[in-house]
């Protein structure tokens, strides 16, 4: 209905505009030398060309980490500042700020002092960038462990006012405040630590406690503000939730985390679900809630480290559907190279596969998962080279993998053959058992690989 | 009406720095953006003086205001005169004969001032300045020795006093400068960009070099235009930032910056064309003949470039033969006759480079095949016969030249990127910008110091000693990288007692010269369409002369056409291959 009405409206407007009174089109004036392109490369001044060439040399030097050379060319680039009338986004002053701080960060004899004197000059260069430059200064101070100086810089930036505040400046100011909140949180955590330690000695210090609470208030106000704006605010959210939990405001914490994870205005952020899951776990929430949190995480990051936990949780479930999901989760995790040599993941898979093989129920689950991987897993996981390496580096890993390989690919597969051979040679009992197990369940291989007709699920 | 009045008032508003002026009823300028009313009044244009008036109005207000920042009144032409003087002095220091500054250049300049009605004429444009009621004191130079006229300071020939005494121009200037000195930059800066200046051949910074080159050419000094421009870039001749040497009292503001502050290197073609234009404008007679004893004669220049390109001396014989054959060594061809449009004007350095390339093509063909064949033959011969002069091997020469050319080119590119364009003397468009500019300047210096320390070098390296050779090769080097003494035997054969090239073929760079007047080129060079050896040779000379390869290519085509003109009409005896 709505769309129909709108269409009508558009048509109406078009009709109005297209009716009788069309003003004649007035062409803009052409410059006197219009036959020439307005600003081709040819007509650029040598000054600009020279500065562009200089900038290219700086880029090359920086890419090759030749900081001294980059600094040398920057010295010659700097005079471009004197002619910086451009309104381009990336004018010389911005370039000098960014490149200069990068060079100083990597190649400076006198660390913080030199950087500070540089950045103070940059602050005066462009009003629009003032807050950004301040933030960078703060990061640099923090990287050098100068927390008090960083705090001062933030406070100073907060009190800075210039003309009408634009929306961009507004956002940047929120960020400044948020970082100050973060530092307040840090000092809160410090006080808390002191208090807890002394508390054990039976010693109580009221002033420390008071200070701690005041830190809490300052931090909470600023942190709460910034996480209202759609964005990725991981450290701020984490700290804020920590504060809330400490003071027992679990409802607020839950609300914040739910908002952060589920509000569609925020960009998709896997960590939001991780934080929510961890919170729910701490709260001792029901399995159902935990599973649903992890399910979303699985959908966005199948390779997340929590997937082991997820799989274990699902395997224990009595519901078939959940166990089915568990298998899917662990297979998906092992698709990623990062998990290739993770014993825990392989043992999870081995365990579940073994269970299914023994019960001979739900072989179709394995078959389904295996179908999409049959053409690449053997080379990815079960090559002879990997068998050799896994055996040398991690016997348990090779055991788990050999079990999986034996069931999925049969007893003739290279990986299984090599590992079981080596295992039997060294007279380790579990490898002999493994060989026996695989031999016994060899029909499973035939069924999941579709070689036997009896594999058709009921 | 108002539009007309404000058109030439293009200073920035002191309050909002916009240029958007209107005129109040009281005749004052007001800013349409912020409604700030200036103390400048509208120019009152007296139609009687329209062709001849310089400054219509300079308001009382601005004069009073700027008493704190005193400066002299000066004219744009004085600025240029100062630049010319500095350049002439630099040229003298480089070894050009002293006559150049005091006689030749000075006279050219006077002639220019006269032709453009700026001085040495009955009613110079500057005359109207006298009419200004504001000049309360009309003291002469002689009566007030403490404040000597700027022209006195600047005159090209200090020995001759005539410039100060015999021009009516000088008196008009001195009257103003002696009065309540105004320092709003030059007096006539705003008139400089007006349209009617066009037919007068407006003076520009590149034109100062045209003046210099014209004087050098008149004296037949051993300096080509490419040399002159290279010396400018290397900083041996003042050009960029030359205003920093202006006397303290000559203040530059506003439009003056556009006139004297350059941010580009002079371009060969531009300086050359302006020189021709200037010579015609000044109605100069035929220049002194370029004979075969002159440095600019192709036979001489070819020798110079053969040496610099590290080619065998024997090739000189061949360039001379080509010169003779196509009659380009004659004074009538080489000498500049200003205003004569029928003759082609000669760029001596480009012509010589093109001649060498044509000779190389005659002997080695440069088709990416034949030259290597000859080189292999020479190499074989040199292996078997260690006695006597070695045969010239093109391959070996290519390797040596390519190597040093790449090194030099890289050095040059880096130098260009590192060039410092700003000078110590800060420039600002108007007085209210001063503090901002100075602050920026200070910051730049601070930052330069900071990063200079990090890189270990604060200031750029010293400029190289001026030399007309950029590449030098010496026989004394034991590594055999000098080819001057190598022999052309093996690629020549005797025919009826005359040594001729073994190579029977030739290819033309172009069949027809471009006839389109508008493009100004004889041919159009596209690298991909030509053999790489040919391009390499072009690149070598393009580096030596610091001009585009296509400019040299033009002259190669020209020489080829003179050389093969008859053959092109008749049945070809040579197997002339024509490239598309």
């Amino acid at each position: 209905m709505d769309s129909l009405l709108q269409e009508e409206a558009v048509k109406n407007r078009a009709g109005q505009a297209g009716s009788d009174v069309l003003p004649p089109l007035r062409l803009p004036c052409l410059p006197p030398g219009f036959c020439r392109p307005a600003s081709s490369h040819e007509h650029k001044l040598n000054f600009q060309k020279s500065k562009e060439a200089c900038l290219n040399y700086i880029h090359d030097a920086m890419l090759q980490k030749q900081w001294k050379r980059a600094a040398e060319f920057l010295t010659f680039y700097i005079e471009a500042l004197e002619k910086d009338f451009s309104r381009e986004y990336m004018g010389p002053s911005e370039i000098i700020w960014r490149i200069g701080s990068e060079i100083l960060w990597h190649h400076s004899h006198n660390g913080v002092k030199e950087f500070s004197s540089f950045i103070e000059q940059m602050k005066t260069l462009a009003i629009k960038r003032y807050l950004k430059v301040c933030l960078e200064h703060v990061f640099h101070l923090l990287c050098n462990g100068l927390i008090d100086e960083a705090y001062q810089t933030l406070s100073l930036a907060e009190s800075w006012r210039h003309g009408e505040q634009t929306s961009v400046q507004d956002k940047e100011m929120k960020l400044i405040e948020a970082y100050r909140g973060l530092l307040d949180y840090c000092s809160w955590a410090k006080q808390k630590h002191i208090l807890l330690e002394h508390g054990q000695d039976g010693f109580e210090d009221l002033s420390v406690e008071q200070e701690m609470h005041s830190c809490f208030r300052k931090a909470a106000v600023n942190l709460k503000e910034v996480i209202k704006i759609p964005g990725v605010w991981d450290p701020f959210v984490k700290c804020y939730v920590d504060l809330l939990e400490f003071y027992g405001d679990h409802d607020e914490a839950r609300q914040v985390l739910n908002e952060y994870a589920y509000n569609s205005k925020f960009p998709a952020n896997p960590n939001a679900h991780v934080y929510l899951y961890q919170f729910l776990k701490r709260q001792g929430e029901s399995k159902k809630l935990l599973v649903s949190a992890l399910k979303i995480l699985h959908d966005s990051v199948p390779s997340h480290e929590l997937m082991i936990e997820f799989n274990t949780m699902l395997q224990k479930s009595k519901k078939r559907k959940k166990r089915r999901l568990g298998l899917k989760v662990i297979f998906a995790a092992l698709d990623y190279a990062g998990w290739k040599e993770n014993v825990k993941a392989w043992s999870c898979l081995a365990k579940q596969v073994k269970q299914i093989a023994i019960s001979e129920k739900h072989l179709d689950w394995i078959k389904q998962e295996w179908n999409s991987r049959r053409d690449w897993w053997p080379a990815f996981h079960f090559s002879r080279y990997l068998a050799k390496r896994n055996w040398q580096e991690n016997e348990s890993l090779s055991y788990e993998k050999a079990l999986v390989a034996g069931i999925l690919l049969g007893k003739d597969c290279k990986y299984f053959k090599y590992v079981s051979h080596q295992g039997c040679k060294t007279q380790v009992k579990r490898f002999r058992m493994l060989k026996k197990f695989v031999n016994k369940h060899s029909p499973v291989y035939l069924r999941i690989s579709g070689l036997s007709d009896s594999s058709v699920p009921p | 009406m108002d539009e007309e009045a404000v058109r030439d008032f293009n200073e920035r508003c002191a309050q909002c720095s916009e240029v958007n002026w209107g005129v109040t009823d009281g005749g004052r300028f007001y800013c349409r953006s912020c409604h700030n009313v200036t103390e400048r009044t509208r120019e009152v244009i007296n139609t009687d003086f329209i062709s001849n008036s310089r400054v219509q109005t300079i308001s009382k207000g601005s004069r009073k205001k700027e008493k704190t920042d005193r400066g002299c009144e000066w004219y744009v032409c004085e600025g240029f005169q100062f630049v010319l003087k500095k350049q002439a002095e630099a040229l003298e220091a480089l070894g050009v004969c002293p006559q150049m500054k005091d006689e030749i250049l000075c006279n050219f300049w006077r002639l220019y001032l006269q032709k453009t009605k700026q001085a040495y004429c009955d009613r110079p444009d500057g005359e109207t300045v006298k009419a200004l009621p504001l000049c309360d004191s009309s003291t002469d130079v002689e009566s007030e020795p403490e404040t000597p006229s700027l022209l006195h300071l600047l005159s090209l020939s200090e020995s001759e006093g005539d410039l100060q005494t015999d021009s009516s121009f000088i008196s008009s200037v001195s009257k103003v400068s002696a009065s309540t000195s105004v320092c709003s930059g030059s007096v006539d800066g705003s008139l400089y960009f007006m349209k009617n200046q066009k037919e007068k051949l407006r003076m520009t910074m590149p034109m100062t070099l045209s003046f210099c080159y014209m004087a050098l050419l008149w004296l037949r000094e051993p300096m080509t235009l490419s040399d002159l421009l290279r010396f400018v870039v290397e900083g041996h001749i003042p050009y960029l930032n030359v205003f920093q040497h202006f006397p303290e009292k000559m203040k530059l503001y506003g439009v003056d910056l556009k006139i004297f502050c350059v941010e580009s290197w002079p371009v060969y073609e531009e300086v050359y064309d302006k020189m021709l234009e200037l010579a015609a404008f000044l109605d100069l007679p035929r220049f002194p003949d370029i004979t075969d004893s002159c440095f600019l004669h192709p036979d001489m220049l070819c020798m110079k470039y053969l040496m610099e390109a590290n080619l065998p001396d024997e090739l000189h014989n061949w360039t001379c033969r080509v010169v003779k054959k196509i009659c380009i060594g004659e004074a009538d061809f080489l000498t500049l006759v200003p205003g004569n449009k029928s003759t082609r004007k000669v760029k001596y350095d480009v012509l010589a480079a093109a001649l060498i390339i044509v000779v190389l093509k005659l002997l080695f063909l440069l088709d990416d095949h034949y030259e290597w064949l000859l080189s292999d033959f020479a190499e074989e011969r040199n292996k078997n016969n260690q006695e006597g002069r070695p045969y010239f091997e093109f391959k070996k020469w290519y390797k040596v030249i390519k190597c040093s050319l790449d090194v030099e080119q890289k050095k040059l590119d880096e130098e260009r990127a590192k060039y410092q364009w700003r000078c110590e003397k800060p420039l600002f468009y108007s007085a209210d910008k001063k503090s901002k500019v100075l602050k920026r300047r200070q910051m730049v210096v601070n930052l330069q110091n900071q990063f200079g320390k990090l890189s270990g070098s604060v200031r750029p390296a010293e400029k190289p000693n001026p030399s007309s050779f950029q590449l030098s090769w010496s026989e004394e080097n034991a590594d055999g990288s000098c080819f001057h003494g190598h022999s052309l035997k093996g690629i020549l054969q005797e025919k009826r007692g005359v040594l001729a090239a073994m190579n029977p073929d030739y290819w033309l760079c172009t069949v027809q010269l471009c006839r389109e007047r508008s493009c100004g080129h004889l041919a159009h060079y596209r690298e991909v369409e030509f053999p790489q050896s040919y391009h390499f040779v072009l690149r070598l000379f393009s580096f030596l002369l610091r001009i585009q390869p296509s400019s040299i290519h033009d002259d190669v085509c020209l020489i080829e056409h003179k050389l093969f003109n008859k053959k092109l009409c008749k049945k070809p005896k040579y197997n002339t291959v024509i490239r598309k």
Side-chain angles (χ1 to χ4, degrees), chain B residues 272 275-276 333-348 555 558:
Chain B
Y272 182 78
M275 188 274 287
L276 297 180
F333 176 80
L334 293 169
T335 307
L336 177 66
V337 184
N340 185 355
K341 283 186 178 140
S342 58
T343 53
R344 192 183 142 79
K345 308 293 186 279
V346 186
K347 298 168 183 164
Y348 305 98
D555 271 30
L558 179 81

Side-chain angles (χ1 to χ4, degrees), chain A residues 45-47 50-51 54 57 68-69 72-73 75-76 79 81-83 104 107 114 121 124-125, chain B residues 263-265 413-414 416-422 440-441 443 447-448 450-452 454-455:
Chain A
L45 294 170
N46 287 147
F47 173 78
S50 151
K51 292 301 152 207
C54 194
Y57 279 110
K68 198 173 161 185
R69 190 174 151 85
E72 188 188 339
F73 278 100
T75 316
F76 297 102
E79 64 173 2
L81 257 190
E82 283 184 79
K83 252 195 88 84
L104 283 173
H107 178 80
E114 201 162 342
Q121 297 194 62
T124 61
L125 252 187
Chain B
E263 290 187 328
S264 273
W265 294 124
D413 288 345
E414 281 194 17
R416 280 189 181 153
K418 281 185 182 176
Y419 194 81
Q420 293 281 279
W421 295 80
R422 299 272 164 249
R440 267 282 156 99
R441 173 85 231 160
M443 181 183 290
L447 290 172
Q448 278 173 342
Q450 183 167 22
F451 286 96
L454 277 186
S455 66

Side-chain angles (χ1 to χ4, degrees), chain A residues 120-360:
Chain A
E120 287 307 329
Q121 297 194 62
M122 291 299 115
K123 281 179 192 170
T124 61
L125 252 187
I127 298 152
K128 278 185 189 161
R129 252 192 335 261
Y130 179 84
L131 292 173
K132 259 197 228 170
V133 178
C134 282
L135 259 186
E136 170 146 332
H137 191 192
V138 169
F139 295 151
H140 194 268
L141 290 170
L142 287 177
C143 286
N144 283 290
L146 299 166
I147 296 174
D148 290 342
E149 283 84 345
Y151 195 89
Q152 267 172 25
T153 309
L154 284 171
S155 311
L156 216 70
E158 247 178 292
S159 60
W160 178 81
R161 288 282 174 280
H162 191 278
E164 264 177 67
Q165 211 152 331
T166 62
S167 64
V168 179
Q169 267 178 14
D170 213 36
K171 268 185 195 159
E172 282 168 356
M173 193 53 102
K174 281 259 160 55
L175 209 56
I176 296 266
E177 285 163 0
Y179 273 100
R180 199 171 61 87
L182 207 62
L183 291 185
D184 279 324
Y185 168 81
C186 286
S187 50
W188 173 82
K190 221 186 261 168
Q191 315 279 1
K192 188 180 85 173
H193 185 70
I194 295 169
L195 220 60
L196 286 178
E197 262 192 355
H198 287 292
Q200 279 171 355
D201 308 337
F203 167 80
E204 271 181 45
D205 190 337
L206 216 77
S207 70
V208 173
E209 203 176 324
Q210 261 174 2
E211 209 185 315
M212 175 180 139
H213 294 323
S214 99
C215 283
F216 157 72
R217 276 189 297 276
K218 279 192 279 182
V221 169
N222 284 332
L223 292 176
K224 191 179 175 178
E225 278 305 305
V226 75
I227 61 183
K228 276 183 194 160
I229 308 166
V232 178
W233 307 117
D234 291 355
F236 305 111
V237 169
K238 249 179 122 168
C239 296
Y240 187 50
V241 168
D242 191 26
L243 287 173
L244 292 173
E245 278 187 274
F246 184 81
Y247 288 99
D249 195 350
H250 299 295
D251 291 340
E252 169 82 6
R254 184 187 298 258
Q255 206 192 331
V256 164
L257 285 170
N258 269 322
E259 180 81 3
Y260 193 49
Y262 293 120
N263 190 336
S264 59
K265 278 184 194 153
F266 280 63
N269 179 5
N271 282 344
H273 299 283
V274 174
Y275 299 150
L276 181 63
Y277 166 75
Q278 283 164 345
F279 173 78
L280 294 172
K281 205 170 142 191
R282 281 197 297 274
Q283 296 290 306
E285 287 295 343
S286 70
K287 275 262 159 61
K288 202 178 151 193
L289 266 176
L290 295 179
V291 167
S292 71
L294 284 180
K295 175 75 175 60
I296 294 174
L297 184 63
H298 164 73
D299 289 342
S300 57
V301 192
S303 60
H304 198 275
E305 58 182 356
L306 278 173
M307 289 307 118
I308 299 279
E309 213 171 313
F310 191 31
N311 170 267
T312 324
M313 207 188 294
L314 292 168
Q315 263 194 56
K316 281 184 200 152
S317 170
K318 285 187 186 106
K319 283 186 188 154
R320 271 203 308 181
K321 212 171 151 191
K322 287 206 173 147
R323 272 180 288 144
R324 168 83 186 83
L325 179 64
L327 189 71
K328 198 176 159 189
V329 165
I330 196 69
F331 259 111
L334 283 167
D335 282 345
Y336 292 88
W339 289 99
K340 259 180 115 166
E341 281 163 15
N342 190 302
V343 189
K344 220 167 168 191
W346 280 108
S347 88
C348 281
L349 181 61
K351 198 172 152 194
Q352 202 163 3
V353 166
K354 200 172 162 186
Q355 254 177 22
I356 293 173
I358 291 168
S359 68
E360 296 208 11

